[in-house]
Amino acid sequence: MLKEILRIIGREGYISRPKLAAELNISKVLVDDGISQLLRMGYILEDKNGEGCSSFCSSCSRAKACSKEVVKTFKISEKGQRLLQASS
Amino acid sequence: MNSGTIALVGNPNSGKTTLFNALTGSNQYVGNWPGVTVEKKEGKFEFEGKKYHVIDLPGTYSLGAYSEDEVIASDYILTGNPDIIINVVDAGNIERNLYLTTQLLEIGKKVVLALNMIDEADKRKIEFDIPGLEQKLGIPVVPTIASKEIGIKELIKRTVEAMNNGVVTKNPLRYNDTIEHHIDHLTKALEKVNLPYPARWTALKLLEGDTGIFQKLKDYQYFEALKDIEDFYKYHSQENFELEIIDSRYAFAHWVTEGTVHRPEEEVITLTDKIDKIITSRYLGVPIFALIMLLVFQLTFKIGGDILGEYLASIIESLGGLAETFLAYINAPGWLIAFIIDGIINGVGAVIEFIPIIVVLYLLLGFLEDSGYMARAAYVWDELMRRLGLQGKAFISMIIGFGCNVPGIMSTRTMDNQKDKMITTLIIPFMSCGAKLPIYSVFIAAFFPNHGGLLLFLLYALGIIIGLIMAKIYSKALFPGKSSYFIMELPSYRMPTLKNILRNMWDNVYGFIERAGTIIFAVITLLWVVAVLPVSAAPYSEFSILGRIGTFIAPLFKPAGFGTWQEAVALFAGIPAKEAVIGTLGMLYAGEYLEGGNFLVNAIQQHFTPLTALSYMVMTLLYTPCAAVLGTVKKETNSRKWTIFVALVNFAIGWLVAVIIFQIGSLLGFS
Ligand SMILES: Nc1nc2c(ncn2[C@@H]2O[C@H](COP(=O)(O)OP(=O)(O)OP(=O)(O)O)[C@@H](O)[C@H]2O)c(=O)[nH]1
Ligand SMILES: [Mg+2]
């Protein structure tokens, strides 16, 4: 399952949990588990998109509006790329 | 006399404590959120004349050393020597729960599975083939509803039976050959010492890279085994062992549920999938985005401008009237009356009048964001931009930049490629921010009241297009090289919550109001002073200090059609903060007493034509960004050169496009 999730993410270029669940025929909770396992083991990395502002412009009146994340983004780490290459 | 100890093990919130209470009749605290039980609790019950001990353990998803709960649960299971484990499983989430079950079976302890919350699963139309599950897992499976004490008798009976029947739990799971080989090797080494844990299980943990267990072996000073293990670590890259092991467990759990658990197809999943096929499709994605945004802008003007805006405008006007009467009544000095009426009411007030538009726009954008649509938009643009050879992540920054450019630029911090970072930073200022809305709104009210939404849409679109063109130019000319690669998450669609939408709106509107009261106020005050001095000149005339400066720079804008000194000054007033463009015009036109309707709109109708209004709007859209943005560019690029570059190049681009629009428009016979 983990390898499959990684492979689909690599192929599609985006993460859609419903799509992963549908394609792998597993429940959405399991997809969540799989993604957190991949994150924990460092096969994928989550970008810290929301942190740009909060750190230094807390005095700015818009700091709150901007420290939110519009979209979560990830990367497949080198470890993840190696695994994808090895299993393809 | 204790005839046996039973441990309750399961995922958080699966009903262990409820079952514990049902078994023992005690009243432990039951909570409907994970993590209620934080340490183990002990109780007793009697069955067929014999006493049994029951241990309630904290919930855990796996047996390892990653969290306190995992440690308590696995320590007890491994060293506390329970005679049997009741694995409490949330039936509705059986696939996930079986991960832990698999680990329990691997330890080799006796296990009975309580398929709990079967009532909830029933409601969701999930069906179980109990004999099938028993056969695949090799252990008794008993459906229960712990909260209603249903199935408890049967569970006790089967548990006691299993405890005494002498059947040994078979480890159902075999890993791939490489891993099995290593397990054998390490198991042999571990069998040399007298471990308190099962050797195979310990070997597995070592292969998983569980540092906790390695530390324990060190603590116990199992030197003979340690040497072999350290040698093993030295010669084998364990890179994917952990993943392989975990994956095999998931595969086993999946195999168990295959054909034994039937769930109806989840509507949400299929619906999301279907919607996404259309919304994110290659050819429809961008047109759909454009259509949605057009609708957003139309609604913004209909609700925010035509309906709410009128109210606020009349409130501010009557406030102005009241203030004037009051000031006259208390015999206030003439300069104070002029300052308050011309500067504050007409200047700052002109900015405030457009709050409803901002409120409505950000309510709508918040709706799109919270529903999950914005992520799709970013994805669609990402694809398009990659095809243009640009970094798609830039669009996320651009979306943020529509609120305010500063956080848009800040968000490039997460790009780890210098090229992407620089290009995005340079094009963000072309994204029309919230502060420019009042400017467009006034001009739209003056000349295009029936096409507000469309015009606003075109302005935003122009900003994006110029941004993309410049990105392409920059990436060719200034920053050749490859863009980095990233993956976006498309969240499930959901009904946005009112709370989130309101919060998003307020965060944006609050900033706007605060700026009106601080920086805009300061800029207007300052300009007012130089607009009424020297005393010898008529206030707000071209002979004032400000008038002279304005007259000097005005010819620069002649080719774009708006060459009076007020308009030139207003543009520069917009550099500290964009709203000040409108505030300044409001103040400078205050000298002309125009009757009826919105004063500023009337004044603008006198000073502009539809064509010059258009070129002025385009100029304000594209020209030099505000001081805060320039400051951020400086901070993020750490270069004065690039900051000056942005200030000058953007000014030139704004000027050029404005001139093109005016000249071509004139040629075509528009005015
Ligand atoms: N519908 C239904 N609800 C149940 C059942 N068993 C337990 N619950 C409810 O599930 C919630 C969690 O129960 P707990 O017994 O606290 O769960 P737990 O496994 O001890 O949780 P932790 O100690 O946090 O790991 C409570 O609200 C229970 O009332 C059941 O069979 N059916
Ligand atoms: Mg509990």
Side-chain angles (χ1 to χ4, degrees), chain B residues 191-363:
Chain B
E191 274 166 353
K192 286 188 214 160
V193 295
N194 191 15
L195 277 182
Y197 315 123
R200 181 184 158 92
W201 183 84
T202 313
L204 247 167
K205 283 281 139 195
L206 288 170
L207 286 177
E208 275 185 75
D210 186 326
T211 46
I213 201 89
F214 189 60
Q215 189 54 45
K216 279 211 176 106
L217 295 176
K218 273 192 180 157
D219 293 347
Y220 287 125
Q221 308 200 319
Y222 292 131
F223 295 119
E224 283 161 80
L226 279 173
K227 187 170 172 326
D228 287 354
I229 296 163
E230 272 165 356
D231 279 352
F232 174 81
Y233 279 165
K234 221 182 281 167
Y235 297 116
H236 293 89
S237 148
Q238 287 180 277
E239 177 151 288
N240 297 319
F241 285 2
E242 188 183 7
L243 176 118
E244 293 283 357
I245 291 169
I246 293 176
D247 229 3
S248 305
R249 289 192 191 123
Y250 280 124
F252 174 75
H254 190 67
W255 171 78
V256 170
T257 55
E258 243 179 350
T260 57
V261 180
H262 305 275
R263 13 175 109 240
E265 240 177 74
E266 273 187 64
E267 290 282 321
V268 200
I269 290 181
T270 44
L271 190 66
T272 297
D273 216 27
K274 275 184 197 143
I275 298 178
D276 274 349
K277 280 217 174 77
I278 303 169
I279 281 190
T280 63
S281 83
R282 200 169 235 218
Y283 300 104
L284 291 178
V286 174
I288 289 176
F289 173 73
L291 219 64
I292 289 178
M293 292 320 284
L294 183 58
L295 191 72
V296 163
F297 290 128
Q298 294 281 18
L299 282 174
T300 299
F301 264 89
K302 271 275 158 299
I303 304 171
D306 296 354
I307 304 172
L308 301 173
E310 301 279 303
Y311 286 123
L312 195 60
S314 52
I315 289 173
I316 290 179
E317 237 161 83
S318 38
L319 265 181
L322 272 176
E324 210 168 348
T325 325
F326 174 73
L327 289 169
Y329 176 75
I330 60 163
N331 267 330
W335 64 266
L336 185 64
I337 297 182
F339 173 67
I340 290 183
I341 301 304
D342 302 343
I344 310 298
I345 305 280
N346 286 335
V348 181
V351 178
I352 303 268
E353 248 170 59
F354 293 94
I355 285 180
I357 291 202
I358 296 186
V359 168
V360 177
L361 180 63
Y362 287 104
L363 279 178

Side-chain angles (χ1 to χ4, degrees), chain B residues 108-152:
Chain B
K109 287 263 187 271
K110 291 197 170 206
V111 180
V112 172
L113 195 145
L115 197 56
N116 195 35
M117 304 202 186
I118 203 92
D119 52 334
E120 292 291 324
D122 257 0
K123 271 190 218 148
R124 288 164 53 196
K125 306 228 167 7
I126 308 173
E127 290 162 18
F128 302 90
D129 166 11
I130 306 283
L133 284 170
E134 289 190 326
Q135 202 228 327
K136 282 188 165 174
L137 288 164
I139 54 171
V141 175
V142 184
T144 57
I145 307 173
S147 53
K148 293 185 196 137
E149 308 205 3
I150 294 176
I152 308 298

Side-chain angles (χ1 to χ4, degrees), chain B residues 9-31:
Chain B
V9 182
N11 286 14
N13 222 22
S14 57
K16 296 174 297 299
T17 304
T18 313
L19 181 62
F20 178 86
N21 291 344
L23 287 171
T24 62
S26 74
N27 251 322
Q28 289 295 339
Y29 186 70
V30 175

Side-chain angles (χ1 to χ4, degrees), chain B residues 3 88 108 163 210 222 350 496 551 568:
Chain B
S3 307
V88 185
M163 200 169 1
D210 186 326
Y222 292 131
T551 311

Side-chain angles (χ1 to χ4, degrees), chain B residues 16-17 36-37 56-57:
Chain B
K16 296 174 297 299
T17 304
V36 173
T37 308
D56 180 22
L57 291 167

Side-chain angles (χ1 to χ4, degrees), chain B residues 434-473:
Chain B
K436 293 178 187 170
L437 275 174
I439 311 176
Y440 309 144
S441 305
V442 177
F443 282 90
I444 285 171
F447 293 106
F448 316 97
N450 297 323
H451 302 95
L454 180 66
L455 208 69
L456 203 55
F457 170 79
L458 291 175
L459 283 166
Y460 274 73
L462 180 68
I464 296 179
I465 291 167
I466 298 282
L468 292 184
I469 293 174
M470 291 316 293
K472 192 74 197 167
I473 293 174

